[in-house]
Amino acid sequence: MAILTFLISLAGATMFLLFAVRMVRTGIERSYGASFQRLLTGTGNQLQAGGVGIGLALVLQSSAAVALLTTGFASGGYLAFPTGLAIVLGGDLGSALIIQILSFKLDWLVPVLLAVGGYLFVKTEGKKTRQAGRILMGIAFILISLRFLREAMDPIRDSAFLPAVAGYLARDYITAFLVGAGLAFVMHSSVAAILMCVTLVQIGAIPFAAGLSLVLGANFGSAFIPVWLSRGLSQSARRIPYANLGLRGSWAVACLLAVNSALGAGLLEGPQTGQMLVYVHLLFNGSLLILALPICGQIEPLMVRLMPEPQLPDPGLDGRPVSALEPGVYGTPVQVMANLKRELLRMCDLVETMFRPLAELYKTGERDQIKALQALDAEVNACLSGIRSYVADIPIDSFDKEAMKQAREMVEYAIRLETAGDVASQRLAVLAGRLNKKNLRFSAEGWGEILRMHEAIMANLRLASNVLISDDLESARLLNLEKTELKRMERDSRKRHLKRLQSGERYSFETSDIHLETLRALREFNSHVAAVSYPVLYKNGQLLETRLIEDMGDSEVGT
């Protein structure tokens, strides 16, 4: 019975730890996720890229999240292989620094974090203050889960079961290494896995030798997480996580053999505590970063040979996605809704393709790129025409009122997307061309404000696609909150712009009209994209028809 109680308590503490780590990461991503692309793609050399990786891992509390972000941007062609690999290696060292921070005795901080975080999350309305509350509560939950983990070991620490397992792991370091690797992969969090190992050593549940092998194994296993999660990306993007796996695996095995040989020979006489285990983890990741940074560029040719690009299809074949709608072919209402969603997703992809390069076009004003962007508007218009005709011809006899209502809602969103495409091609692209034709430039502060709005809208485009696919209420609420946040960004930018005009900044005078028109266009574009959330919110009673006060006393009504 004691073993069953132990396993249940251990599972509960472990899942609580994973939830807490995820909670912190979610809060940070929702507050600052739109700025990650600029941070990642703005790195100049490997040393700077490694520093960016360390910083991102400290913020996201996950080296796997840094690796996935890097792989995603590499897939889109925004990151070169050496830079991406340096960021991933820096992310591993950053996650080790998190463990150092969390390994201190911080139980006294828990009630403070819960009180402040709970107040910010429950009692405030601002997006960033609410997410700051989420982050503080997540950190408190991490500390609580570690306390639960220590308490879960108490009933079984003196039994025959745990010492037998711990003794076996201490004698067979290969098995301990594999157990650590499996633990990190199953938990999908190196931070959580290594914190667990450190805690077990701190309370004397397992010997230091076993903990050492477990930690090295967890370092190896954590490198499998981005490899597994990036399996659907392009071959060129997957080279980065595979190269990281090769480097970490080789160094982990070398360190495993070296430290266990040293332990066997009695050469490691230092204090064998949980804190020493943290230092070993830091040393492992720091030394790997130092050794690997200079050779990141030399590894690329090897990875290209090991993971070549697949052969391109016959140039005569058109690989471009075609319409999911076949006029006159409908099937069941479920099939019709699926077809309409697929076509709307195609529209979303086209609109995102139009919007993504606009920030660069404001800097370069390339006429050919502007014309190519505007040419896509015809495809968006064709999608709308196809959706409208398809829904108009649906046989009403075979569809109930609810299905027809959903179909009409999809037509309404298609109209919104088509209008968003018009904003991108007929307003924003034209403004980019006008800015460069007159050889004008925004002030540094003004350009930063526009760039942050562009990044936020790019994140909202991806979130809108998720809402369209899943009809998830939480995602719809978040998208609607992001719409409100973008309104605030536009309003604040307009106020700051007017203050710059009052202070007599030359750049602000020269670009004033274009700046203000750009702000309005970005806000309008985002409003059309966010409209996908309205049906989900209405259906769940989360959206009011009007914000006007309907009942007013006689004394408040003017004549």
Side-chain angles (χ1 to χ4, degrees):
M1 188 65 186
I3 293 177
L4 181 60
T5 303
F6 160 71
L7 292 175
I8 293 173
S9 300
L10 180 64
T14 302
M15 295 311 297
F16 190 26
L17 177 59
L18 289 173
F19 168 78
V21 172
R22 176 67 179 268
M23 186 174 180
V24 174
R25 189 163 69 246
T26 300
I28 292 167
E29 287 174 345
R30 290 184 179 179
S31 294
Y32 307 103
S35 302
F36 288 157
Q37 178 175 345
R38 180 155 49 94
L39 184 61
L40 283 170
T41 57
T43 53
N45 52 55
Q46 270 85 287
L47 185 61
Q48 184 183 357
V52 167
I54 293 171
L56 280 176
L58 285 169
V59 169
L60 294 175
Q61 300 218 342
S62 171
S63 57
V66 174
L68 283 176
L69 275 173
T70 304
T71 305
F73 289 127
S75 176
Y78 297 109
L79 272 177
F81 175 91
T83 304
L85 182 56
I87 291 173
V88 172
L89 292 167
D92 293 322
L93 179 56
S95 71
L97 291 170
I98 294 166
I99 293 167
Q100 169 65 75
I101 296 167
L102 294 175
S103 64
F104 293 133
K105 286 285 186 182
L106 298 172
D107 289 350
W108 60 271
L109 196 57
V110 170
V112 177
L113 292 173
L114 288 174
V116 176
Y119 176 81
L120 292 176
F121 189 76
V122 175
K123 296 294 186 181
T124 61
E125 296 297 328
K127 173 196 167 186
K128 291 200 173 180
T129 52
R130 280 176 57 83
Q131 297 308 322
R134 183 193 293 271
I135 293 164
L136 293 177
M137 291 182 69
I139 295 171
F141 290 163
I142 290 175
L143 298 174
I144 294 171
S145 66
L146 292 175
R147 186 193 302 169
F148 285 172
L149 194 59
R150 290 192 292 268
E151 293 173 355
M153 295 295 169
D154 288 340
I156 202 167
R157 192 186 306 173
D158 299 325
S159 69
F161 170 73
L162 189 59
V165 172
Y168 176 74
L169 292 177
R171 292 190 302 273
D172 188 350
Y173 61 83
I174 299 295
T175 300
F177 180 82
L178 295 175
V179 168
L183 189 66
F185 182 76
V186 169
M187 295 177 78
H188 267 42
S189 171
S190 61
V191 172
I194 293 171
L195 278 173
M196 176 184 286
C197 297
V198 170
T199 302
L200 293 177
V201 172
Q202 281 177 337
I203 64 175
I206 60 173
F208 178 79
L212 196 59
S213 300
L214 284 168
V215 165
L216 290 172
N219 274 283
F220 180 45
S222 67
F224 278 97
I225 300 170
V227 167
W228 172 255
L229 295 178
S230 64
R231 62 192 183 277
L233 297 179
S234 65
Q235 194 82 322
S236 60
R238 299 188 72 205
R239 290 174 190 149
I240 293 175
Y242 269 101
N244 180 56
L245 174 63
L247 289 170
R248 290 182 71 75
S250 304
W251 191 233
V253 170
C255 291
L256 177 73
L257 298 174
V259 297
N260 279 280
S261 299
L263 283 171
L267 299 177
L268 296 180
E269 297 295 339
Q272 298 183 349
T273 62
Q275 186 58 46
M276 181 57 66
L277 209 58
V278 176
Y279 294 149
V280 170
H281 179 52
L282 277 168
L283 181 62
F284 172 85
N285 285 281
S287 59
L288 178 59
L289 181 63
I290 293 169
L291 292 171
L293 271 184
I295 61 171
C296 285
Q298 284 72 35
I299 295 173
E300 184 174 13
L302 174 63
M303 296 307 301
V304 170
R305 285 198 297 273
L306 293 175
M307 302 178 66
E309 290 286 354
Q311 287 189 345
L312 294 174
D314 185 344
L317 298 176
D318 184 9
R320 189 151 189 144
V322 296
S323 174
L325 307 179
E326 189 175 348
V329 179
Y330 291 96
T332 64
V334 174
Q335 290 173 321
V336 170
M337 296 305 129
N339 290 338
L340 286 169
K341 283 191 175 183
R342 284 174 58 198
E343 189 68 1
L344 280 172
L345 281 174
R346 190 163 79 97
M347 281 189 79
C348 286
D349 289 341
L350 287 170
V351 170
E352 183 178 342
T353 302
M354 295 169 68
F355 185 78
R356 185 187 299 114
L358 281 169
E360 187 65 25
L361 290 179
Y362 265 77
K363 291 196 294 184
T364 65
E366 289 287 339
R367 289 187 179 181
D368 291 341
Q369 291 185 20
I370 290 175
K371 287 181 180 178
L373 184 154
Q374 291 172 330
L376 284 176
D377 193 39
E379 291 192 45
V380 175
N381 295 344
C383 286
L384 172 61
S385 298
I387 290 173
R388 198 160 40 200
S389 300
Y390 186 80
V391 172
D393 293 337
I394 288 177
I396 300 177
D397 305 346
S398 309
F399 288 73
D400 57 25
K401 291 178 65 175
E402 183 60 29
M404 290 303 301
K405 180 184 175 185
Q406 289 181 21
R408 286 193 295 270
E409 287 172 350
M410 292 187 189
V411 174
E412 290 175 5
Y413 188 54
I415 294 170
R416 289 279 205 159
L417 286 175
E418 191 273 337
T419 308
D422 290 343
V423 173
S425 63
Q426 298 174 21
R427 291 174 60 186
L428 289 166
V430 171
L431 288 169
R434 190 195 309 169
L435 183 74
N436 286 274
K437 185 177 180 181
K438 295 181 177 179
N439 200 25
L440 299 175
R441 286 293 175 267
F442 294 120
S443 66
E445 187 180 351
W447 174 239
E449 293 162 5
I450 289 173
L451 198 60
R452 284 190 289 274
M453 288 182 69
H454 182 270
E455 291 168 349
I457 294 171
M458 284 297 302
N460 290 346
L461 277 164
R462 291 187 287 271
L463 185 56
S465 296
N466 293 340
V467 173
L468 182 61
I469 295 170
S470 64
D471 288 335
D472 177 55
L473 176 60
E474 180 60 28
S475 297
R477 284 181 58 85
L478 178 58
L479 183 58
N480 205 259
L481 289 171
E482 293 292 345
K483 176 187 171 184
T484 304
E485 177 67 15
L486 200 96
K487 284 182 181 178
R488 184 196 62 76
M489 291 172 70
E490 186 255 351
R491 183 176 63 250
D492 291 348
S493 179
R494 192 170 61 245
K495 288 179 180 177
R496 284 192 289 267
H497 176 73
L498 294 175
K499 286 181 180 178
R500 289 193 294 272
L501 290 179
Q502 290 174 340
S503 65
E505 288 192 25
R506 181 174 61 86
Y507 284 119
S508 298
F509 272 107
E510 292 175 342
T511 60
S512 181
D513 289 342
I514 296 178
H515 184 96
L516 295 174
E517 286 183 47
T518 299
L519 294 178
R520 284 193 295 270
L522 288 172
R523 175 178 168 178
E524 184 179 339
F525 182 96
N526 186 73
S527 296
H528 292 308
V529 169
V532 71
S533 65
Y534 298 158
V536 181
L537 295 173
Y538 274 128
K539 185 168 62 178
N540 290 276
Q542 300 287 305
L543 203 63
L544 299 175
E545 290 284 350
T546 177
R547 288 182 293 178
L548 289 174
I549 299 173
E550 295 183 4
D551 239 353
M552 297 181 67
D554 294 338
S555 60
E556 297 176 75
V557 180
T559 55

